Structure formats: structure tokens, C-alpha cells
Amino acid sequence: MRLLKIAATIFAFAAFGGYAYADPVCDGTATTLPTTDDTAAIQTILDAGNIFNVPHGKLCKITQSLVITRNDSGLVGDGSGGLYMAAANFNNTSLAFGDRYGTHTVGIYAHGLLAAPWTPLVHPVIKGIRIVSEVQQGRSLSAVVVQNATQAKVIGNEIQGFPLGIGVRIQSCVLGCEVAENYIHDFVDNTTGWAVSSVPQITGVEVDNDIWNNVSSYQVTIRDNTIRNMLVGAAFLAAYGYQTDCINIARVTTYNTSITGNHLDTCAEGVDNFSIHAIINDNVVMNTYNFGIKNIHGASFVSVNDNTITNYGFAGIVVAGSSAAGDSNVDNILVSGNNVSFGNYGGNWGGHDNAAILVGMNGTTSIPVNIFVTGNILRPANGEYALNITSNSGVTVSGNLSFSGTKGVSK
């Protein structure tokens, strides 16, 4: 018997690249929270460059970030099991850059080298797992962060229960990075006392708020996700505004992003895009406090086609310049074939000339030029206008089916 135990130990040690290995306990279920800390056992598997297969129907407790730094490594499940992040362990209350990626801020942290020679991580996989935060407000967390990587796959996961923070952060990720078929839902915070300059934020999927080695992401696909209920309370709203996005592409140098087939429900903004050469097509966007789809801060060469947007606040689709120093013009935006209906959602934007499609100057540093608005169906209903096109903005409007709002068809 003793020889068998020694042989089993040697086999496990060899099988995982010379790393000592013990099975994670994962003693949580659909009805009970896990109590055993599985962080070290899972991290050992990842450090060996292997895939941790999350047990069916089980929750594994982690008390600090799981870090993926080996190519082709990650976590995979069948959608029923996952990770539990208790508030006592994931307790970050800072928005500062130095704390965004701390061990008590991020659930799963996949990255290449973050200093010279900046070798990217290849093909990290996070697929089919649940990432569950204990519901406790007043913290700032991220469920998944992918930095300096290529061919990253974040697919088929459920992320829920977070306070301030981000569901999936993609940064400096190139050539085939994919965020797809995830269900990201029910983030909420109503705390104050945050530094306004840091802009406390809740976002489902964020690309390139920070970048590494001056490399912006390119060829990122964000498809077929359901993102809903990114919420703030009345106290937070009064202090900071409704700072939630379902999807945010946060940098003008981010290139060739595809945002398609997503269902975005109950965020301040469905898609907030600053990037260039992007496709924003075939999404369903509903119940947005501010905007359904927004292109701003130099966003250029963007197609916004065949989206269905209903129950928007200020505008269903907005293309706007800005007064921010260094912003380039918003140039070559095609807005075509969209169905936009039911404005002034929540009754917060009456008297502001809200519209199904809004093209505005919003400052003089960056202005909209070469904007084409064609073939859309615009039914503002309780909203004020179908079209609100600011004088002097470079817009061509043709072939839209526009119904009158409470103030008319066009301003």
C-alpha cells in the first residue's frame, strides 16, 4: 500500500511538470458557499501550464487572484461550476492604477510579461465557468483581466454579483482575442466617497482603458454576450452620474474591434466606443439611461449597422465631437439600417432635445466629419426628435424612415 501511495505521488508530480499537486476541494454547490480555500491548489495547476477543469456543479473558493502566465493554460468548465470571491478577501477600495490589478482586486489575471522584453501570453483560455462575487458594495473589482496576450479566449462564462468594477478587462490583446457568449449581469453600487477624478465605473466588457508597452488591442471580437443590469443607486448617481457601460472601447488607437450579436440591457450606455476601424453590428440594446450606442473622442471609420435599440434616454445612437485636448475628429462613421425607438427612457431627458439619432459638436477640439446616416427606421415615440443634427457638423442624411417625436421629426 505504501508503495502505491509513493507511486501515485510521483505520477502526480511528473504529470504536472514537476509541480507538487493536490486536488482542489471545491466544496461549494448551487445552494452552499465553499469554505475551503482552493487558491493554491488551482494556482499549482496553472503554474504547470495546464488547464484546471472546474468540477461540475461545484464552486471553488479563491482568496486572491488566480494568475495565468503559461501559454495554452486556463480554466474550463461546463457552465455549472466556478469560482467564489468572498468580500473579506477581495476587498479593494481604491481606484488608483496601482491597485487595479492587485491580488485582492482581480479574480482571474492572465498576462504576458509586463516589462521588457514584453513577451505576450499565447492562447489563455477561460471558458464555461461561473465567477461569483459576494454581494457587498463599496469595493472595486475585476472578474477577469487579460493583458499583453494573443489569441485569448474568454467564452461562455457567467459573471455576477460584483460592485464597482469590470466584468472582463481586455488590454493590449492582439490577433484573435475573443470575448464571446458570456452572461455578465447584476453589478450594483450605491456608495460615495470615491475620488471623482478617478471616475468610479461599472462596465461589463472594457477594452484598453490601460495598455502595455504602448500596444493597443487589435482584432478583438466581442460577440453574442448578454450583459444586463449594470446599476448604480440614487446616492451614486447624484455624486458621479450614471457611470455604467455594457461595453466600452476606451482608446482611439484600439483597432479593428468587432462588436456583434450582443444583447445589452439596462446600462447607462450600451456601447461606448472611442476606437477606429470598428464594426458595431446586429446588437440588441435596450433600457439605456443615456445612450444606446455612442461614438466619441476620435472614433473613426466605424460601421454602426443593423442594430435594434429601444428605450434610450438622451439618444439611441450618438456621434459626437469633444473638447478634450488631443482628440482627433470623429470621422467616417456610417449609421445604417438601424431600428431605433422609444426615447426619453425613464423620463430624465425631457427638454434636452433628445433624439433617436444625435450628431453633435460637443466642443470644438474634435468635431464630427463625413458622417453618413442612411436607411434607418426612427420612431422616437415619447422622445423629442427622430434626428437631431447640430449645425456645422459634417453629416449626410438620406433614406431614413423617420416618425415624429414630441417636438417633431428633425431639429
Side-chain angles (χ1 to χ4, degrees), residues 74-104:
L75 298 90
V76 173
D78 64 5
S80 65
L83 308 176
Y84 179 70
M85 299 166 57
N89 306 114
F90 291 89
N91 53 12
N92 175 59
T93 58
S94 169
L95 301 176
F97 175 82
D99 298 309
R100 289 177 198 163
Y101 310 107
T103 57
H104 299 289

PDB file of all heavy atoms in Angstrom, residues 74-104:
ATOM      1  N   GLY A  74      -5.293  27.689 -18.480  1.00  0.00           N
ATOM      2  CA  GLY A  74      -6.513  28.390 -18.116  1.00  0.00           C
ATOM      3  C   GLY A  74      -7.457  27.551 -17.293  1.00  0.00           C
ATOM      4  O   GLY A  74      -7.071  26.566 -16.659  1.00  0.00           O
ATOM      5  N   LEU A  75      -8.730  27.961 -17.312  1.00  0.00           N
ATOM      6  CA  LEU A  75      -9.779  27.288 -16.556  1.00  0.00           C
ATOM      7  C   LEU A  75     -10.926  26.985 -17.505  1.00  0.00           C
ATOM      8  O   LEU A  75     -11.354  27.846 -18.273  1.00  0.00           O
ATOM      9  CB  LEU A  75     -10.286  28.152 -15.405  1.00  0.00           C
ATOM     10  CG  LEU A  75      -9.278  28.543 -14.317  1.00  0.00           C
ATOM     11  CD1 LEU A  75      -8.589  29.857 -14.647  1.00  0.00           C
ATOM     12  CD2 LEU A  75      -9.948  28.633 -12.957  1.00  0.00           C
ATOM     13  N   VAL A  76     -11.445  25.756 -17.420  1.00  0.00           N
ATOM     14  CA  VAL A  76     -12.514  25.317 -18.310  1.00  0.00           C
ATOM     15  C   VAL A  76     -13.549  24.557 -17.495  1.00  0.00           C
ATOM     16  O   VAL A  76     -13.203  23.755 -16.619  1.00  0.00           O
ATOM     17  CB  VAL A  76     -11.953  24.419 -19.441  1.00  0.00           C
ATOM     18  CG1 VAL A  76     -13.087  23.826 -20.266  1.00  0.00           C
ATOM     19  CG2 VAL A  76     -11.007  25.215 -20.330  1.00  0.00           C
ATOM     20  N   GLY A  77     -14.823  24.817 -17.782  1.00  0.00           N
ATOM     21  CA  GLY A  77     -15.897  24.085 -17.131  1.00  0.00           C
ATOM     22  C   GLY A  77     -17.053  23.865 -18.082  1.00  0.00           C
ATOM     23  O   GLY A  77     -16.998  24.238 -19.264  1.00  0.00           O
ATOM     24  N   ASP A  78     -18.124  23.277 -17.550  1.00  0.00           N
ATOM     25  CA  ASP A  78     -19.311  23.019 -18.374  1.00  0.00           C
ATOM     26  C   ASP A  78     -20.413  24.036 -18.121  1.00  0.00           C
ATOM     27  O   ASP A  78     -21.550  23.854 -18.568  1.00  0.00           O
ATOM     28  CB  ASP A  78     -19.827  21.598 -18.135  1.00  0.00           C
ATOM     29  CG  ASP A  78     -20.321  21.368 -16.702  1.00  0.00           C
ATOM     30  OD1 ASP A  78     -20.350  22.334 -15.895  1.00  0.00           O
ATOM     31  OD2 ASP A  78     -20.696  20.224 -16.384  1.00  0.00           O
ATOM     32  N   GLY A  79     -20.076  25.131 -17.417  1.00  0.00           N
ATOM     33  CA  GLY A  79     -21.034  26.188 -17.149  1.00  0.00           C
ATOM     34  C   GLY A  79     -21.737  26.089 -15.823  1.00  0.00           C
ATOM     35  O   GLY A  79     -22.411  27.036 -15.391  1.00  0.00           O
ATOM     36  N   SER A  80     -21.584  24.967 -15.128  1.00  0.00           N
ATOM     37  CA  SER A  80     -22.309  24.784 -13.864  1.00  0.00           C
ATOM     38  C   SER A  80     -21.456  25.059 -12.631  1.00  0.00           C
ATOM     39  O   SER A  80     -21.989  25.334 -11.554  1.00  0.00           O
ATOM     40  CB  SER A  80     -22.857  23.349 -13.780  1.00  0.00           C
ATOM     41  OG  SER A  80     -21.794  22.409 -13.712  1.00  0.00           O
ATOM     42  N   GLY A  81     -20.150  24.977 -12.753  1.00  0.00           N
ATOM     43  CA  GLY A  81     -19.251  25.205 -11.625  1.00  0.00           C
ATOM     44  C   GLY A  81     -18.418  26.444 -11.832  1.00  0.00           C
ATOM     45  O   GLY A  81     -18.421  27.058 -12.904  1.00  0.00           O
ATOM     46  N   GLY A  82     -17.687  26.851 -10.765  1.00  0.00           N
ATOM     47  CA  GLY A  82     -16.879  28.049 -10.935  1.00  0.00           C
ATOM     48  C   GLY A  82     -16.152  28.481  -9.681  1.00  0.00           C
ATOM     49  O   GLY A  82     -15.793  27.654  -8.833  1.00  0.00           O
ATOM     50  N   LEU A  83     -15.954  29.792  -9.574  1.00  0.00           N
ATOM     51  CA  LEU A  83     -15.156  30.395  -8.519  1.00  0.00           C
ATOM     52  C   LEU A  83     -16.020  31.312  -7.666  1.00  0.00           C
ATOM     53  O   LEU A  83     -16.912  31.990  -8.182  1.00  0.00           O
ATOM     54  CB  LEU A  83     -14.005  31.208  -9.111  1.00  0.00           C
ATOM     55  CG  LEU A  83     -13.112  30.516 -10.133  1.00  0.00           C
ATOM     56  CD1 LEU A  83     -12.080  31.508 -10.672  1.00  0.00           C
ATOM     57  CD2 LEU A  83     -12.418  29.294  -9.524  1.00  0.00           C
ATOM     58  N   TYR A  84     -15.698  31.349  -6.376  1.00  0.00           N
ATOM     59  CA  TYR A  84     -16.392  32.251  -5.461  1.00  0.00           C
ATOM     60  C   TYR A  84     -15.381  33.204  -4.849  1.00  0.00           C
ATOM     61  O   TYR A  84     -14.345  32.790  -4.324  1.00  0.00           O
ATOM     62  CB  TYR A  84     -17.092  31.465  -4.353  1.00  0.00           C
ATOM     63  CG  TYR A  84     -17.816  32.352  -3.359  1.00  0.00           C
ATOM     64  CD1 TYR A  84     -18.967  33.036  -3.730  1.00  0.00           C
ATOM     65  CD2 TYR A  84     -17.330  32.512  -2.056  1.00  0.00           C
ATOM     66  CE1 TYR A  84     -19.627  33.853  -2.823  1.00  0.00           C
ATOM     67  CE2 TYR A  84     -17.989  33.322  -1.151  1.00  0.00           C
ATOM     68  CZ  TYR A  84     -19.136  33.998  -1.541  1.00  0.00           C
ATOM     69  OH  TYR A  84     -19.787  34.809  -0.642  1.00  0.00           O
ATOM     70  N   MET A  85     -15.689  34.512  -4.924  1.00  0.00           N
ATOM     71  CA  MET A  85     -14.808  35.569  -4.424  1.00  0.00           C
ATOM     72  C   MET A  85     -15.481  36.252  -3.230  1.00  0.00           C
ATOM     73  O   MET A  85     -16.399  37.068  -3.409  1.00  0.00           O
ATOM     74  CB  MET A  85     -14.510  36.576  -5.536  1.00  0.00           C
ATOM     75  CG  MET A  85     -13.810  35.981  -6.730  1.00  0.00           C
ATOM     76  SD  MET A  85     -13.800  37.069  -8.208  1.00  0.00           S
ATOM     77  CE  MET A  85     -13.014  38.550  -7.557  1.00  0.00           C
ATOM     78  N   ALA A  86     -15.058  35.908  -2.028  1.00  0.00           N
ATOM     79  CA  ALA A  86     -15.658  36.485  -0.824  1.00  0.00           C
ATOM     80  C   ALA A  86     -15.179  37.920  -0.622  1.00  0.00           C
ATOM     81  O   ALA A  86     -14.032  38.272  -0.932  1.00  0.00           O
ATOM     82  CB  ALA A  86     -15.311  35.642   0.394  1.00  0.00           C
ATOM     83  N   ALA A  87     -16.058  38.763  -0.077  1.00  0.00           N
ATOM     84  CA  ALA A  87     -15.733  40.175   0.128  1.00  0.00           C
ATOM     85  C   ALA A  87     -14.589  40.368   1.116  1.00  0.00           C
ATOM     86  O   ALA A  87     -13.817  41.325   1.012  1.00  0.00           O
ATOM     87  CB  ALA A  87     -16.971  40.925   0.607  1.00  0.00           C
ATOM     88  N   ALA A  88     -14.448  39.475   2.073  1.00  0.00           N
ATOM     89  CA  ALA A  88     -13.366  39.605   3.050  1.00  0.00           C
ATOM     90  C   ALA A  88     -12.000  39.468   2.392  1.00  0.00           C
ATOM     91  O   ALA A  88     -11.016  40.047   2.875  1.00  0.00           O
ATOM     92  CB  ALA A  88     -13.529  38.549   4.145  1.00  0.00           C
ATOM     93  N   ASN A  89     -11.929  38.734   1.298  1.00  0.00           N
ATOM     94  CA  ASN A  89     -10.666  38.526   0.590  1.00  0.00           C
ATOM     95  C   ASN A  89     -10.475  39.498  -0.566  1.00  0.00           C
ATOM     96  O   ASN A  89      -9.377  40.015  -0.769  1.00  0.00           O
ATOM     97  CB  ASN A  89     -10.592  37.098   0.074  1.00  0.00           C
ATOM     98  CG  ASN A  89     -10.812  36.060   1.155  1.00  0.00           C
ATOM     99  OD1 ASN A  89     -11.806  35.337   1.118  1.00  0.00           O
ATOM    100  ND2 ASN A  89      -9.924  35.996   2.135  1.00  0.00           N
ATOM    101  N   PHE A  90     -11.531  39.752  -1.309  1.00  0.00           N
ATOM    102  CA  PHE A  90     -11.466  40.695  -2.431  1.00  0.00           C
ATOM    103  C   PHE A  90     -12.068  42.010  -1.955  1.00  0.00           C
ATOM    104  O   PHE A  90     -13.259  42.270  -2.106  1.00  0.00           O
ATOM    105  CB  PHE A  90     -12.176  40.104  -3.648  1.00  0.00           C
ATOM    106  CG  PHE A  90     -11.423  38.941  -4.220  1.00  0.00           C
ATOM    107  CD1 PHE A  90     -11.656  37.654  -3.770  1.00  0.00           C
ATOM    108  CD2 PHE A  90     -10.438  39.143  -5.178  1.00  0.00           C
ATOM    109  CE1 PHE A  90     -10.942  36.578  -4.275  1.00  0.00           C
ATOM    110  CE2 PHE A  90      -9.710  38.079  -5.691  1.00  0.00           C
ATOM    111  CZ  PHE A  90      -9.959  36.787  -5.234  1.00  0.00           C
ATOM    112  N   ASN A  91     -11.186  42.806  -1.358  1.00  0.00           N
ATOM    113  CA  ASN A  91     -11.640  43.946  -0.555  1.00  0.00           C
ATOM    114  C   ASN A  91     -11.054  45.276  -1.013  1.00  0.00           C
ATOM    115  O   ASN A  91     -11.000  46.235  -0.245  1.00  0.00           O
ATOM    116  CB  ASN A  91     -11.294  43.710   0.915  1.00  0.00           C
ATOM    117  CG  ASN A  91      -9.822  43.368   1.127  1.00  0.00           C
ATOM    118  OD1 ASN A  91      -9.006  43.515   0.216  1.00  0.00           O
ATOM    119  ND2 ASN A  91      -9.492  42.893   2.313  1.00  0.00           N
ATOM    120  N   ASN A  92     -10.626  45.359  -2.269  1.00  0.00           N
ATOM    121  CA  ASN A  92     -10.025  46.603  -2.750  1.00  0.00           C
ATOM    122  C   ASN A  92     -11.031  47.754  -2.741  1.00  0.00           C
ATOM    123  O   ASN A  92     -12.148  47.625  -3.233  1.00  0.00           O
ATOM    124  CB  ASN A  92      -9.498  46.414  -4.176  1.00  0.00           C
ATOM    125  CG  ASN A  92      -8.982  47.717  -4.758  1.00  0.00           C
ATOM    126  OD1 ASN A  92      -8.077  48.338  -4.202  1.00  0.00           O
ATOM    127  ND2 ASN A  92      -9.569  48.137  -5.866  1.00  0.00           N
ATOM    128  N   THR A  93     -10.604  48.896  -2.212  1.00  0.00           N
ATOM    129  CA  THR A  93     -11.457  50.088  -2.177  1.00  0.00           C
ATOM    130  C   THR A  93     -10.782  51.281  -2.852  1.00  0.00           C
ATOM    131  O   THR A  93     -11.187  52.417  -2.642  1.00  0.00           O
ATOM    132  CB  THR A  93     -11.820  50.455  -0.726  1.00  0.00           C
ATOM    133  OG1 THR A  93     -10.620  50.672   0.022  1.00  0.00           O
ATOM    134  CG2 THR A  93     -12.638  49.355  -0.076  1.00  0.00           C
ATOM    135  N   SER A  94      -9.771  51.012  -3.680  1.00  0.00           N
ATOM    136  CA  SER A  94      -9.034  52.084  -4.346  1.00  0.00           C
ATOM    137  C   SER A  94      -9.260  52.016  -5.856  1.00  0.00           C
ATOM    138  O   SER A  94      -9.331  50.930  -6.439  1.00  0.00           O
ATOM    139  CB  SER A  94      -7.541  51.961  -4.057  1.00  0.00           C
ATOM    140  OG  SER A  94      -6.795  52.837  -4.882  1.00  0.00           O
ATOM    141  N   LEU A  95      -9.357  53.185  -6.492  1.00  0.00           N
ATOM    142  CA  LEU A  95      -9.449  53.260  -7.946  1.00  0.00           C
ATOM    143  C   LEU A  95      -8.111  53.585  -8.597  1.00  0.00           C
ATOM    144  O   LEU A  95      -8.028  53.721  -9.821  1.00  0.00           O
ATOM    145  CB  LEU A  95     -10.475  54.323  -8.349  1.00  0.00           C
ATOM    146  CG  LEU A  95     -11.899  54.115  -7.822  1.00  0.00           C
ATOM    147  CD1 LEU A  95     -12.787  55.286  -8.213  1.00  0.00           C
ATOM    148  CD2 LEU A  95     -12.494  52.808  -8.342  1.00  0.00           C
ATOM    149  N   ALA A  96      -7.059  53.709  -7.797  1.00  0.00           N
ATOM    150  CA  ALA A  96      -5.741  54.086  -8.312  1.00  0.00           C
ATOM    151  C   ALA A  96      -5.187  52.991  -9.218  1.00  0.00           C
ATOM    152  O   ALA A  96      -5.452  51.796  -9.033  1.00  0.00           O
ATOM    153  CB  ALA A  96      -4.783  54.338  -7.166  1.00  0.00           C
ATOM    154  N   PHE A  97      -4.382  53.406 -10.196  1.00  0.00           N
ATOM    155  CA  PHE A  97      -3.807  52.456 -11.147  1.00  0.00           C
ATOM    156  C   PHE A  97      -3.072  51.320 -10.430  1.00  0.00           C
ATOM    157  O   PHE A  97      -3.197  50.150 -10.807  1.00  0.00           O
ATOM    158  CB  PHE A  97      -2.852  53.180 -12.097  1.00  0.00           C
ATOM    159  CG  PHE A  97      -2.123  52.257 -13.031  1.00  0.00           C
ATOM    160  CD1 PHE A  97      -2.725  51.819 -14.190  1.00  0.00           C
ATOM    161  CD2 PHE A  97      -0.837  51.815 -12.743  1.00  0.00           C
ATOM    162  CE1 PHE A  97      -2.066  50.958 -15.062  1.00  0.00           C
ATOM    163  CE2 PHE A  97      -0.170  50.966 -13.597  1.00  0.00           C
ATOM    164  CZ  PHE A  97      -0.785  50.528 -14.758  1.00  0.00           C
ATOM    165  N   GLY A  98      -2.309  51.640  -9.412  1.00  0.00           N
ATOM    166  CA  GLY A  98      -1.507  50.633  -8.726  1.00  0.00           C
ATOM    167  C   GLY A  98      -2.320  49.569  -8.022  1.00  0.00           C
ATOM    168  O   GLY A  98      -1.794  48.507  -7.676  1.00  0.00           O
ATOM    169  N   ASP A  99      -3.605  49.842  -7.810  1.00  0.00           N
ATOM    170  CA  ASP A  99      -4.460  48.876  -7.112  1.00  0.00           C
ATOM    171  C   ASP A  99      -5.423  48.141  -8.034  1.00  0.00           C
ATOM    172  O   ASP A  99      -6.103  47.214  -7.602  1.00  0.00           O
ATOM    173  CB  ASP A  99      -5.260  49.598  -6.023  1.00  0.00           C
ATOM    174  CG  ASP A  99      -4.363  50.214  -4.961  1.00  0.00           C
ATOM    175  OD1 ASP A  99      -3.505  49.483  -4.438  1.00  0.00           O
ATOM    176  OD2 ASP A  99      -4.517  51.412  -4.666  1.00  0.00           O
ATOM    177  N   ARG A 100      -5.489  48.519  -9.309  1.00  0.00           N
ATOM    178  CA  ARG A 100      -6.457  47.902 -10.221  1.00  0.00           C
ATOM    179  C   ARG A 100      -6.174  46.433 -10.491  1.00  0.00           C
ATOM    180  O   ARG A 100      -7.069  45.677 -10.859  1.00  0.00           O
ATOM    181  CB  ARG A 100      -6.465  48.651 -11.568  1.00  0.00           C
ATOM    182  CG  ARG A 100      -7.072  50.019 -11.510  1.00  0.00           C
ATOM    183  CD  ARG A 100      -6.970  50.699 -12.866  1.00  0.00           C
ATOM    184  NE  ARG A 100      -7.151  52.143 -12.720  1.00  0.00           N
ATOM    185  CZ  ARG A 100      -6.803  53.037 -13.621  1.00  0.00           C
ATOM    186  NH1 ARG A 100      -6.233  52.639 -14.752  1.00  0.00           N
ATOM    187  NH2 ARG A 100      -7.011  54.311 -13.411  1.00  0.00           N
ATOM    188  N   TYR A 101      -4.923  46.043 -10.342  1.00  0.00           N
ATOM    189  CA  TYR A 101      -4.527  44.689 -10.711  1.00  0.00           C
ATOM    190  C   TYR A 101      -3.927  43.933  -9.533  1.00  0.00           C
ATOM    191  O   TYR A 101      -3.170  42.984  -9.707  1.00  0.00           O
ATOM    192  CB  TYR A 101      -3.556  44.752 -11.908  1.00  0.00           C
ATOM    193  CG  TYR A 101      -4.118  45.614 -13.006  1.00  0.00           C
ATOM    194  CD1 TYR A 101      -3.594  46.884 -13.266  1.00  0.00           C
ATOM    195  CD2 TYR A 101      -5.225  45.195 -13.724  1.00  0.00           C
ATOM    196  CE1 TYR A 101      -4.148  47.691 -14.241  1.00  0.00           C
ATOM    197  CE2 TYR A 101      -5.791  46.009 -14.698  1.00  0.00           C
ATOM    198  CZ  TYR A 101      -5.249  47.256 -14.951  1.00  0.00           C
ATOM    199  OH  TYR A 101      -5.813  48.069 -15.905  1.00  0.00           O
ATOM    200  N   GLY A 102      -4.303  44.362  -8.341  1.00  0.00           N
ATOM    201  CA  GLY A 102      -3.787  43.726  -7.137  1.00  0.00           C
ATOM    202  C   GLY A 102      -4.392  42.359  -6.900  1.00  0.00           C
ATOM    203  O   GLY A 102      -5.422  41.982  -7.474  1.00  0.00           O
ATOM    204  N   THR A 103      -3.764  41.602  -6.015  1.00  0.00           N
ATOM    205  CA  THR A 103      -4.199  40.227  -5.755  1.00  0.00           C
ATOM    206  C   THR A 103      -5.560  40.159  -5.084  1.00  0.00           C
ATOM    207  O   THR A 103      -6.201  39.106  -5.098  1.00  0.00           O
ATOM    208  CB  THR A 103      -3.164  39.495  -4.877  1.00  0.00           C
ATOM    209  OG1 THR A 103      -2.980  40.223  -3.653  1.00  0.00           O
ATOM    210  CG2 THR A 103      -1.838  39.368  -5.596  1.00  0.00           C
ATOM    211  N   HIS A 104      -5.999  41.274  -4.499  1.00  0.00           N
ATOM    212  CA  HIS A 104      -7.312  41.291  -3.858  1.00  0.00           C
ATOM    213  C   HIS A 104      -8.304  42.156  -4.634  1.00  0.00           C
ATOM    214  O   HIS A 104      -9.312  42.604  -4.082  1.00  0.00           O
ATOM    215  CB  HIS A 104      -7.179  41.747  -2.406  1.00  0.00           C
ATOM    216  CG  HIS A 104      -6.317  40.830  -1.590  1.00  0.00           C
ATOM    217  ND1 HIS A 104      -6.734  39.569  -1.233  1.00  0.00           N
ATOM    218  CD2 HIS A 104      -5.050  40.963  -1.123  1.00  0.00           C
ATOM    219  CE1 HIS A 104      -5.769  38.976  -0.548  1.00  0.00           C
ATOM    220  NE2 HIS A 104      -4.733  39.789  -0.475  1.00  0.00           N
TER     221      HIS A 104
END
